[in-house]
Amino acid sequence: MMMASHPRSSSVDLDSPDRPFDNIINFRDVGRSINRLMGKKVLNEGVLFRSARLDDASERDKRRLADELHLATVIDLRSSTEHQMATAKLHAETGAAAASPNGTTDHLFQLPQVHRQLISLTGKAFERSLLWRLNWWNFFKVLALVASGYRNDAVTIVGEQVMSPRGLIGLGLDTLDSSTAEMKEIFELFASQNDGGDRTYPVLVHCTQGKDRTGLVVLMLLLLTGVVSDEAITADYVRSEPELVVEVEERMKEIRKLGLSEDYTKCPAGFTMEIKRHLERYGGVEGYLSFVGVGEKKLDAIRDALVA
């Protein structure tokens, strides 16, 4: 579908100053980023990309994704609430009525030969884990709001009462513990081989800002390779904070609607190592992925795709 483009200064694809995207920020080739941080080639480049949401991509951006980067798969980690907000924003800007049955995916666009997979990393199990952290009054209030069709109001309460106090690191740990089915789906997708002419790689993974849920998945992939230093993993994660400054005011409006604080625009330096320490409870990233149901052969397939 055609979408309005509002060109602005944004992040630069592949760290090359003469090849920027118009409307896609926090974009980078993970392999190239890590290789530069490591000072040597340890990962394949042009295989795994990460970014913030793609919704505002210009026509030139779309051509670059499909024709220059040759994307095969886009993994969108956003929640249903975020998709609803994105569609509402589009309708407000264009004056269009909802076109899809539920009016929640109108903001998405199709790229030729590119498969888009919607996997809400903070899905039902994650939501339940947050609900159980509410006091009884807010627990029943949230249930009543959801039952009455006021889901956004319920989300705001959960954001204020649970998510903000937990912080980004706490929510990352909660995601690991609760979103096991989603993690299995994501990593089995990364492990899938070309089948019947369909390609899996190159893959672009993103959420809304492309730093926390995306950062968690990328962190686990980098740990799985076994060839990336802790310092390089942390440096790649914290790169997202300055990349997002260009949209910080717009993001803050959305973050406040979710009942969250300004901290959610940041990249806490301790995020990566706290996640790594938590994974050790499962026996490391391999033990965790085995726990959620991803077999060793599939882990080898991911390594084969990523490691140079």
Side-chain angles (χ1 to χ4, degrees):
M1 62 181 292
M2 298 293 290
M3 296 184 64
S5 296
H6 307 286
R8 55 177 174 267
S9 174
S10 63
S11 70
V12 176
D13 167 26
L14 308 182
D15 300 324
S16 177
D18 60 334
R19 300 179 65 192
F21 281 104
D22 294 323
N23 289 333
I24 301 174
I25 65 173
N26 199 20
F27 183 99
R28 57 188 173 274
D29 178 333
V30 175
R32 180 168 295 197
S33 175
I34 292 298
N35 290 342
R36 290 186 175 185
L37 289 166
M38 295 282 290
K40 59 182 178 180
K41 186 172 183 179
V42 296
L43 297 181
N44 291 321
E45 299 180 6
V47 171
L48 174 64
F49 300 95
R50 59 181 294 176
S51 76
R53 60 188 174 195
L54 308 178
D55 302 348
D56 296 325
S58 68
E59 292 305 314
R60 182 172 68 167
D61 292 340
K62 295 172 188 177
R63 288 194 298 271
R64 294 209 52 221
L65 293 171
D67 300 336
E68 295 182 35
L69 302 181
H70 307 292
L71 285 185
T73 308
V74 172
I75 303 176
D76 186 334
L77 302 175
R78 290 178 290 178
S79 67
S80 59
T81 298
E82 288 169 294
H83 284 296
Q84 291 168 4
M85 290 173 63
T87 292
K89 176 187 173 187
L90 172 66
H91 293 165
E93 290 176 348
T94 63
S100 60
N102 297 316
T104 58
T105 57
D106 296 350
H107 59 292
L108 302 178
F109 59 84
Q110 297 299 316
L111 292 172
Q113 310 302 315
V114 179
H115 174 64
R116 186 193 298 270
Q117 190 73 28
L118 305 181
I119 306 174
S120 174
L121 186 54
T122 50
K124 296 298 183 183
F126 178 81
E127 291 177 355
R128 286 195 296 270
S129 75
L130 297 184
L131 286 175
W132 285 117
R133 291 182 180 274
L134 289 168
N135 61 38
W136 286 111
W137 166 253
N138 283 311
F139 178 82
F140 287 113
K141 186 176 181 180
V142 165
L143 292 184
L145 286 169
V146 171
S148 302
Y150 295 97
R151 179 180 172 83
N152 289 345
D153 292 335
V155 168
T156 300
I157 292 174
V158 174
E160 291 174 346
Q161 299 298 319
V162 179
M163 296 176 72
S164 276
R166 289 292 290 158
L168 286 168
I169 294 175
L171 291 179
L173 306 183
D174 294 342
T175 302
L176 288 174
D177 292 340
S178 61
S179 299
T180 52
E182 291 83 359
M183 282 294 189
K184 178 182 180 182
E185 185 178 2
I186 291 165
F187 279 84
E188 286 191 337
L189 181 55
F190 279 119
S192 60
Q193 302 298 309
N194 296 346
D195 183 19
D198 293 331
R199 297 179 298 126
T200 302
Y201 292 90
V203 176
L204 168 63
V205 58
H206 77 90
C207 48
T208 293
Q209 298 185 86
K211 70 179 183 72
D212 301 310
R213 285 161 295 182
T214 299
L216 177 60
V217 170
V218 170
L219 161 63
M220 293 174 66
L221 288 167
L222 295 179
L223 289 173
L224 184 60
T225 67
V227 298
V228 183
S229 69
D230 290 348
E231 293 77 13
I233 290 173
T234 298
D236 181 71
Y237 170 71
V238 300
R239 278 189 63 186
S240 290
E241 189 171 320
E243 290 281 342
L244 293 164
V245 169
V246 67
E247 279 194 355
V248 68
E249 291 184 8
E250 180 180 350
R251 302 291 167 131
M252 274 308 304
K253 293 178 183 177
E254 298 172 356
I255 285 171
R256 290 191 186 100
K257 289 180 181 178
L258 297 173
L260 305 178
S261 68
E262 186 178 354
D263 290 343
Y264 280 76
T265 66
K266 310 296 184 184
C267 288
F271 181 89
T272 54
M273 291 304 100
E274 285 297 329
I275 294 296
K276 183 179 179 182
R277 277 191 284 271
H278 194 71
L279 286 168
E280 291 301 326
R281 299 183 181 185
Y282 294 90
V285 67
E286 293 92 344
Y288 174 82
L289 291 171
S290 175
F291 169 76
V292 304
V294 184
E296 185 60 36
K297 288 185 178 180
K298 292 183 178 180
L299 300 184
D300 288 340
I302 297 173
R303 293 188 192 97
D304 288 344
L306 299 181
V307 178

